[in-house]
Amino acid sequence: MADWVGRSTALLEPLADAIGRIVRGGDALFADDTPVKMQAPGTKKTKTARVWTYVRDERPWSGQSPPCAWYQFTIDRKGAHPVSHLSGYKGWVHADGYSGFNGVFGADKAREMACMAHVRRKFVDVHAAQGSAIAEEAIRRIAKLYALEKEARGKSPVERVALRQALAKPVFDDLEVWLHAQLPKISGKSPLAQAIRYALGRMPKARQYLDHGCLEADNNTAERAVKPVAIGRKNWMFAGSPRGGKAMAIAYTLIETAKLNNVDPQAWLTSVLAQIADHKINRIDELMPWRYAAQAA
């Protein structure tokens, strides 16, 4: 499927670009990246390149925009890449704490929403390795927050904020205070102390979801979006060149956006390729997968 899309890159690139604009047109998006191999020019060796994904998905808060996933390929992991990808974006960005995203945030730039799943994961690792009672308690407290998120899913932003302020905020505040109290009791060099310090460093930026109904408690939406790349690289092994990497990113943008909208990618793209050569560029939205689904229905 990706090879088929790759052969039609020139025709399909405007469609992928339009999806990128939709992703960056919302109040919030999810961002992540994953490594891929690229053949180094003039050698038989490979180097580590990167695929970045940016996702807009408003379904958890009943937003009106269809879900979209936009992928970009770069030959390295420099922070200049997400800064360029999100240039001019001033909404919320869910991110995992990678320092390369730091340039995205700041005055007159995007705002950061940290990931509670990453906070939880640190304690899960410690508990699995050491059976720590403190780590187990931290996991239990975080589970309370996620139980409340199940109740918030699908509600309007106003309803989500009301629920979170009434029920989740006390749990979040207590967790933060409790974590501070645990640090003096344990070795500062221990993995548990590292997990606690990581949590306390990220939680001030994670608590934003309590006040904004368009935010999620974690960045799992973006993590799910990079999984197809992680699975795919086991099959195709590496990109042959930067141009091939770009074609791959376009393919993932189109295929994964179609799947997010419950549209068969091959059927949709077959329809698109039959029309796009003669289609006016200022009416590219007419070729989106959700339009195809509506016409098919």
Side-chain angles (χ1 to χ4, degrees), residues 58-116:
E58 300 180 354
R59 291 175 295 181
W61 50 275
S62 298
Q64 298 303 306
S65 176
C68 295
W70 181 49
Y71 295 78
Q72 293 287 284
F73 175 86
T74 62
I75 62 172
D76 54 44
R77 203 191 185 195
K78 292 180 180 178
H81 299 307
V83 170
S84 175
H85 299 157
L86 298 179
S87 176
Y89 182 72
K90 298 180 182 179
W92 291 97
V93 175
H94 296 73
D96 61 7
Y98 166 52
S99 61
F101 283 111
N102 290 348
V104 171
F105 309 117
D108 205 35
K109 294 183 179 180
R111 293 173 287 178
E112 182 178 7
M113 171 61 204
C115 177
M116 284 301 294

Side-chain angles (χ1 to χ4, degrees), residues 171-187:
V171 177
F172 194 101
D173 292 343
D174 286 348
L175 171 62
E176 202 165 22
V177 171
W178 178 79
L179 287 172
H180 275 291
Q182 305 313 304
L183 269 180
K185 303 177 183 179
I186 60 177
S187 168

Side-chain angles (χ1 to χ4, degrees), residues 9 13 17 71-73 239 241-251:
T9 298
E13 186 174 358
D17 290 344
Y71 295 78
Q72 293 287 284
F73 175 86
S241 65
R243 182 179 178 183
K246 180 179 179 180
M248 173 182 61
I250 291 172

Side-chain angles (χ1 to χ4, degrees), residues 16-31:
D17 290 344
I19 289 172
R21 289 191 292 272
I22 293 172
V23 168
R24 290 168 290 171
D27 294 328
L29 60 80
F30 303 83

Side-chain angles (χ1 to χ4, degrees), residues 37-290:
K37 294 295 183 181
M38 183 190 77
Q39 188 169 20
T43 73
K44 294 183 179 180
K45 298 181 179 180
T46 61
K47 61 175 291 184
T48 301
R50 220 74 192 177
V51 171
W52 308 78
T53 184
Y54 305 95
V55 184
R56 179 179 178 181
D57 191 347
E58 300 180 354
R59 291 175 295 181
W61 50 275
S62 298
Q64 298 303 306
S65 176
C68 295
W70 181 49
Y71 295 78
Q72 293 287 284
F73 175 86
T74 62
I75 62 172
D76 54 44
R77 203 191 185 195
K78 292 180 180 178
H81 299 307
V83 170
S84 175
H85 299 157
L86 298 179
S87 176
Y89 182 72
K90 298 180 182 179
W92 291 97
V93 175
H94 296 73
D96 61 7
Y98 166 52
S99 61
F101 283 111
N102 290 348
V104 171
F105 309 117
D108 205 35
K109 294 183 179 180
R111 293 173 287 178
E112 182 178 7
M113 171 61 204
C115 177
M116 284 301 294
H118 277 76
V119 170
R120 179 185 180 277
R121 202 169 297 158
K122 300 286 186 181
F123 291 111
V124 170
D125 291 343
V126 171
H127 185 260
Q130 303 177 351
S132 165
I134 292 176
E136 183 177 20
E137 175 63 13
I139 295 167
R140 187 188 67 81
R141 288 170 179 253
I142 295 171
K144 287 185 178 180
L145 295 173
Y146 275 90
L148 292 168
E149 283 307 288
K150 288 184 179 180
E151 294 185 36
R153 189 163 300 275
K155 290 182 167 57
S156 71
V158 172
E159 292 172 315
R160 282 157 66 89
V161 170
L163 185 152
R164 288 166 172 172
Q165 288 291 314
L167 302 178
K169 187 176 184 299
V171 177
F172 194 101
D173 292 343
D174 286 348
L175 171 62
E176 202 165 22
V177 171
W178 178 79
L179 287 172
H180 275 291
Q182 305 313 304
L183 269 180
K185 303 177 183 179
I186 60 177
S187 168
K189 296 181 179 180
S190 67
L192 177 59
Q194 293 173 14
I196 292 176
R197 285 195 294 269
Y198 176 84
L200 292 174
R202 297 301 291 161
M203 287 179 70
K205 294 177 180 178
R207 67 164 52 246
Q208 310 292 345
Y209 86 100
L210 299 170
D211 301 314
H212 301 275
C214 67
L215 299 180
E216 291 290 279
D218 56 44
N219 195 34
N220 287 351
T221 298
E223 292 199 3
R224 287 192 294 270
V226 297
K227 280 186 178 180
V229 182
I231 294 171
R233 67 188 174 213
K234 295 179 181 179
N235 298 317
W236 42 258
M237 301 299 288
F238 59 85
S241 65
R243 182 179 178 183
K246 180 179 179 180
M248 173 182 61
I250 291 172
Y252 276 115
T253 296
L254 302 176
I255 293 168
E256 296 305 318
T257 295
K259 288 163 63 177
L260 282 172
N261 289 274
N262 297 315
V263 170
D264 174 28
Q266 187 158 353
W268 167 57
L269 287 170
T270 298
S271 174
V272 167
L273 287 170
Q275 306 173 61
I276 197 167
D278 300 318
H279 202 84
K280 291 184 178 180
I281 192 67
N282 60 355
R283 293 169 52 192
I284 198 75
D285 62 305
E286 296 176 357
L287 300 179
M288 291 299 176
W290 47 91

